[in-house]
Amino acid sequence: MKFNKILAFAAAFTALAACSSNQIIEDFESGLEKWTIEGDSFEISNASEELSGFEGFSYLRSSSDDSKVGSAVSQPFQIKSDYINLLVAGPKSSMGRSALSVSLVVDGEDVLASGSIGKDEKTFEWLSFDAAMYKGKTAQIKLTAGEPMRFGTRTFPRGFIAVDQIQQGKQRLSSFYPEYKVSVKVDKKYILIPAANNGSNSRLSVMVDDQNILGIAQSAKPATDRIDYYIPVNVEKYSGKTVDVILTNIYEEDMVFGAIKTSDEMMNEYNEQYRPLVHYSPEFGWTNDPNGMVFTPQGEWHLSLQYNPYGTSHGNMHWGLATSKDLIHWTDTPAIIAPDELGSIFSGSAVVDHDNTAGFGKDAIVAIYTSAGQGQRQSIAYSTDGGYTFTKYDKNPVLADPEQRDFRDPKVNRIGDQWVMALAVGQVVRFYGSPDLKNWSLLSDFGTGMGSHAGVWECPDLMCFDYNGQKKWVLFVSINPGGPNGGSITQYFIGDFDGKRFKADPLPYPLWVDEGVDNYAGVTFNNTTGRTVFMGWMSNWSYTGQTPTLAFRNSMTLPRDLSLKSNGKHLILSSVPSPEVYAARAAERAIEGVSSSQSFSIPSILENNKGAYEIDATITPDAKGEFTLTLSNSKGENAVFCFDTKSQKLSLDRSKSGNVDFSASFAQKPVVVSLNPRNEYKIQMFVDRLSTELFINDGDMVFTNCVFPSEVFNKFDIASSNCKISVKDVKVYELK
Ligand code: FRU
């Protein structure tokens, strides 16, 4: 014990000698009487095995018990040097850790604060406050361990903070910047910030004339040891001005340090390996649900989307916007609705207010979305320029229910003489009615005891079809998790809607809009008279955060026209490729089929195959049995679709489809679904680099699944083991 003490003393002495210009403000070796302690969280801790890197024997530490909250404030001292350096352990950046902070208080006000520091929370690391501008002033160090952070009903664990060896001196002892600020003279279109999927968790602000042009600070992942992509911040509007880019939680040794630059290009390779060619994917950033899809009065297709403009994972939810004249080729435009004090912008819809019911103007496009902040509430925004820029309504939110935690994804349609909103509320769909899109009253609830409740209910849509002269209504409800093959999936109900209440026909629910695992949160475009056009998000919540793309993540399905048809037993929803899809066919190749054979092969689907194509064929098995459709490449990777007409199952094995290890839930098990027995199977297989969409028998069924082969699949085989097959009407199209 004595020996240890001497050793530790020697170590402390050496450290002191090494930086003799440092003036110690506090080393916690002699109690806490100079500190003001509030609450029951902070106390002196003595050397223990738990933490390392402190000096001497003791340090100040808050409790790890989140129920103990409080603060510790040092006695005042005068700032005489450029830097205040202190050793800190504990608060590594994460949601819950924002309840911990260490700050420099000057003349009674917090002027510099760090909520996060540390590559490893158990090791003390230097934190340096740049205090040069406060020289001569009186300062204090303040630590806080606050109430754990809550978001909705979730509570984020907080943990502890510890400090030691507070001193001031000429040198910055830390390579860590709680706030890293770079001033950039705007001479080009974009400021580019190097970032990576394994980057640090940081908050990004871009300040022009004291205003954050991002609205509020956004989360970002600046590059530490590799660069996956550049975050493009469009600063065109501020040409000639000086913009301050501020990132939190950066180390000098991080790759982003000193590497923020300007450019007229986005600097992200558009044509990266898995970039779809005929499906919408954002040029940069993350997308999930399609939102606010509308055919505008100006004749354009507008696809808004759940969008993160500052990274490739879910977060900073905005509504992005892509526009198209042909439903296939899309142009990104700047995000149209950004997060605000009411919260992130979650899913919703857009309508054309032909009769100016809301008072925003005739034919105004009104977006109805969920503000997801402290609770979920519905807000609106309107556009009078054909859907390119939106103004938020100044009395948002327009619909709230503090009792409800999951209260989101408003889909609004004009039904009769009112607007009807379908909203996901916990485990039901709630319908609200409104004369003006601003005042909403409850009409009814649907869903208790109906369909699948294996996950939370999300993204409803109510649509009306004409079936043999009769009006029938279909209600979509997405669920996550709980899909029969894992993760997220969309179910539907068929029934009647009387303007107030939806009543489902007795059918063998759950029924799925798409049997595959990669079509979620899909809804239909508004303002498409005479047709019902659908698009879904082509991914699955169970692995979407890990899929192997770089500058963008996720794409949408092909547009599909929906209708009702009979499957011989009852009505079902039919999805077929929208006619616009066929306009993307570039080169057509007819291929001779086979009759009564065990195999059929297209050894080279396309010369110079860029990855987007359609294969059509009609396959007739001569008896009940199994036949497979295999897409493969020269590396031996494949995706095998098996039609088992005996057990009436269709499956997809993607275990050898290429890049599969990014998530255990991606390919461990085959995707297995029911197959309607038919004499012949007319298939349309659409492949677009990372996706396969298999349409069977003109809307009988659709099966959408992603794959990530390391080389384009350019070979297609049909093979049967226990029956013979005839294959006819074979066509291959390149899609462009
Ligand atoms: C569905 C969903 C919606 C929500 C949005 C958030 O995928 O969870 O319920 O509004 O994503 O991004």
Side-chain angles (χ1 to χ4, degrees), residues 513-654:
V513 171
D514 186 315
E515 302 277 345
V517 288
D518 289 305
N519 179 357
Y520 190 62
V523 288
T524 57
F525 280 84
N526 275 334
N527 202 40
T528 53
T529 321
R531 61 190 284 211
T532 307
V533 186
F534 166 94
M535 258 163 101
W537 170 49
M538 203 151 49
S539 192
N540 189 307
W541 278 116
S542 76
Y543 44 72
T544 187
Q546 287 87 48
T547 52
T549 56
L550 288 177
F552 76 100
R553 216 181 242 134
N554 301 323
S555 52
M556 302 298 174
T557 66
L558 285 175
R560 298 166 185 187
D561 273 37
L562 307 181
S563 60
L564 289 176
K565 72 184 261 189
S566 167
N567 69 355
K569 293 183 216 136
H570 58 79
L571 281 185
I572 57 165
L573 180 85
S574 151
S575 298
V576 297
S578 294
E580 286 84 349
V581 171
Y582 300 126
R585 289 171 170 172
E588 171 182 328
R589 211 179 125 199
I591 296 170
E592 194 154 335
V594 290
S595 86
S596 199
S597 171
Q598 222 97 50
S599 64
F600 168 82
S601 183
I602 308 178
S604 168
I605 296 171
L606 292 171
E607 240 173 74
N608 186 19
N609 190 341
K610 297 202 177 58
Y613 51 85
E614 172 190 346
I615 304 173
D616 294 356
T618 300
I619 305 154
T620 317
D622 71 347
K624 283 202 164 45
E626 258 180 46
F627 64 91
T628 53
L629 315 183
T630 303
L631 289 164
S632 60
N633 62 20
S634 73
K635 302 212 165 147
E637 296 164 353
N638 57 38
V640 185
F641 299 80
C642 178
F643 287 67
D644 183 341
T645 61
K646 214 176 203 166
S647 68
Q648 298 177 14
K649 295 275 179 233
L650 168 66
S651 63
L652 166 62
D653 180 351
R654 36 183 194 179

Side-chain angles (χ1 to χ4, degrees), residues 180-182 184 189-197 199-200 202-207 212-214 218-224 226-235 243-248 250 254-263 265-268 284 309-312 316 550-551:
Y180 168 58
K181 178 164 128 186
V182 182
V184 182
K189 187 168 175 192
Y190 297 105
I191 291 177
L192 298 176
I193 303 166
N197 290 325
S200 55
S202 179
R203 309 281 300 159
L204 166 69
S205 308
V206 180
M207 308 298 295
N212 186 355
I213 62 168
L214 311 184
Q218 307 286 333
S219 61
K221 285 181 166 285
T224 53
R226 63 166 209 246
I227 298 173
D228 288 342
Y229 54 85
Y230 289 84
I231 302 170
V233 182
N234 189 323
V235 282
V243 166
D244 287 335
V245 178
I246 302 172
L247 285 165
T248 62
I250 301 296
D254 289 348
M255 284 183 86
V256 67
F257 198 88
I260 294 175
K261 54 186 175 187
T262 57
S263 167
E265 305 296 322
M266 278 205 191
M267 288 285 283
N268 293 303
F284 171 79
Y310 308 110
T312 56
N316 305 326
L550 288 177

